[in-house]
Amino acid sequence: MIIEVKNLHKSFGDNEVLTGIDAGIEEREVVCVIGPSGSGKSTFLRCLNLLEDITSGEVIVDGQSLTDPKVDINEVRTEIGMVFQQFNLFPHKTVLENIMLAPMKVRGLNKAEATARAQALLDKVGLGDRGDALPSQLSGGQQQRVAIARALAMEPKIMLFDEPTSALDPELVGDVLAVMKQLAQEGMTMVVVTHEMGFASEVADRVLFMDGGKIVEEGKPSDIFERPKNERTQGFLKRVL
Ligand SMILES: Nc1ncnc2c1ncn2[C@@H]1O[C@H](COP(=O)(O)OP(=O)(O)OP(=O)(O)O)[C@@H](O)[C@H]1O
């Protein structure tokens, strides 16, 4: 297992948001996390690279326990790409520069190597001719594809997506999902928090349904979407499908 989560609890003050999560993600697996607003999906995802401190329990990524003081979390984070709802590109840098930055700073690539890698990734996400643009000159969907390319430029072992299409106009969602689907088909290990039930149903190997800070039900998309066992899963799917 490339990610192992053991009895994870997370509180913000008195508010216990994750109430004991056990989960495992296999290498090359695509796992979608679904559930009602406020159920703790984003918090769970953010605990997987310690963007949120863990209150108790354990998260082990690629054999390293993130709360072990001997583990260098910044080192582990270089193996994990993250894509957020907001794309967070540097506004005054070109698209190409946005993608080149981390490989040069963190991986020590020289400019020519970083340019070649960034250009190849832009081609991959269908924006090969937009390298010189500034982020503000792109649509939200294009900016999100640049954000995916930027995360991939670090050659991560795992990609985490936190509602990557929620901030997009509906007509821009498809292009971003298509890039994610392609990544999934190439064997990337992915954990995707999403409200896109179509994507979860079509692309995920496994779906986790969260409610009240817990994983209430999990299984193959066909089981979760067509034969949900838990009442709360049934209720949620009735509302959203
Ligand atoms: N930084 C924070 N400080 C305090 N409370 C927080 C913080 N982040 C999240 N919460 C609370 O934790 C709970 C779960 O939030 P989270 O964003 O993980 O849910 P979610 O399932 O991802 O919801 P959504 O689908 O609406 O994004 C919410 O009650 C939220 O208010």
Side-chain angles (χ1 to χ4, degrees), residues 16-138:
E16 192 176 28
V17 170
L18 301 180
T19 54
I21 292 194
D22 291 283
I25 314 282
E26 299 287 350
E27 220 161 326
R28 304 173 73 87
E29 195 178 20
V30 178
V31 173
C32 283
V33 184
I34 64 168
S37 186
S39 57
K41 305 181 298 294
S42 295
T43 305
F44 168 58
L45 194 76
R46 292 166 63 84
C47 285
L48 300 183
N49 60 359
L50 233 52
L51 281 184
E52 299 291 355
D53 288 333
I54 292 167
T55 304
S56 68
E58 202 177 7
V59 177
I60 302 164
V61 176
D62 205 14
Q64 311 210 69
S65 176
L66 301 189
T67 44
D68 179 343
K70 293 192 293 291
V71 167
D72 178 355
I73 180 65
N74 288 323
E75 187 72 37
V76 180
R77 281 198 189 119
T78 66
E79 295 182 15
I80 308 173
M82 181 127 186
V83 175
F84 301 89
Q85 190 173 336
Q86 301 298 340
F87 338 113
N88 305 330
L89 300 173
F90 293 109
H92 303 298
K93 294 193 184 301
T94 66
V95 161
L96 210 57
E97 287 165 351
N98 263 281
I99 303 173
M100 290 162 62
L101 213 62
M104 289 177 73
K105 274 201 171 157
V106 182
R107 295 275 193 239
L109 264 61
N110 67 36
K111 199 169 173 194
E113 290 164 338
T115 307
R117 184 181 291 185
Q119 185 59 50
L121 285 166
L122 272 182
D123 291 340
K124 183 185 172 83
V125 300
L127 295 169
D129 57 347
R130 302 310 305 276
D132 295 330
L134 288 171
S136 59
Q137 295 169 317
L138 303 183

Side-chain angles (χ1 to χ4, degrees), residues 101-198:
L101 213 62
M104 289 177 73
K105 274 201 171 157
V106 182
R107 295 275 193 239
L109 264 61
N110 67 36
K111 199 169 173 194
E113 290 164 338
T115 307
R117 184 181 291 185
Q119 185 59 50
L121 285 166
L122 272 182
D123 291 340
K124 183 185 172 83
V125 300
L127 295 169
D129 57 347
R130 302 310 305 276
D132 295 330
L134 288 171
S136 59
Q137 295 169 317
L138 303 183
S139 73
Q142 291 172 330
Q143 290 187 58
Q144 191 60 299
R145 285 188 274 151
V146 174
I148 294 172
R150 180 179 58 177
L152 292 174
M154 289 291 285
E155 300 189 321
K157 289 188 179 166
I158 301 162
M159 287 283 286
L160 306 180
F161 293 86
D162 191 1
E163 300 189 22
T165 58
S166 295
L168 301 177
D169 290 336
E171 73 271 21
L172 304 177
V173 167
D175 288 343
V176 173
L177 293 181
V179 167
M180 292 168 61
K181 186 175 168 186
Q182 189 194 336
L183 265 185
Q185 286 167 343
E186 289 167 3
M188 176 60 79
T189 305
M190 294 167 55
V191 185
V192 184
V193 171
T194 187
H195 292 283
E196 295 289 338
M197 298 303 142

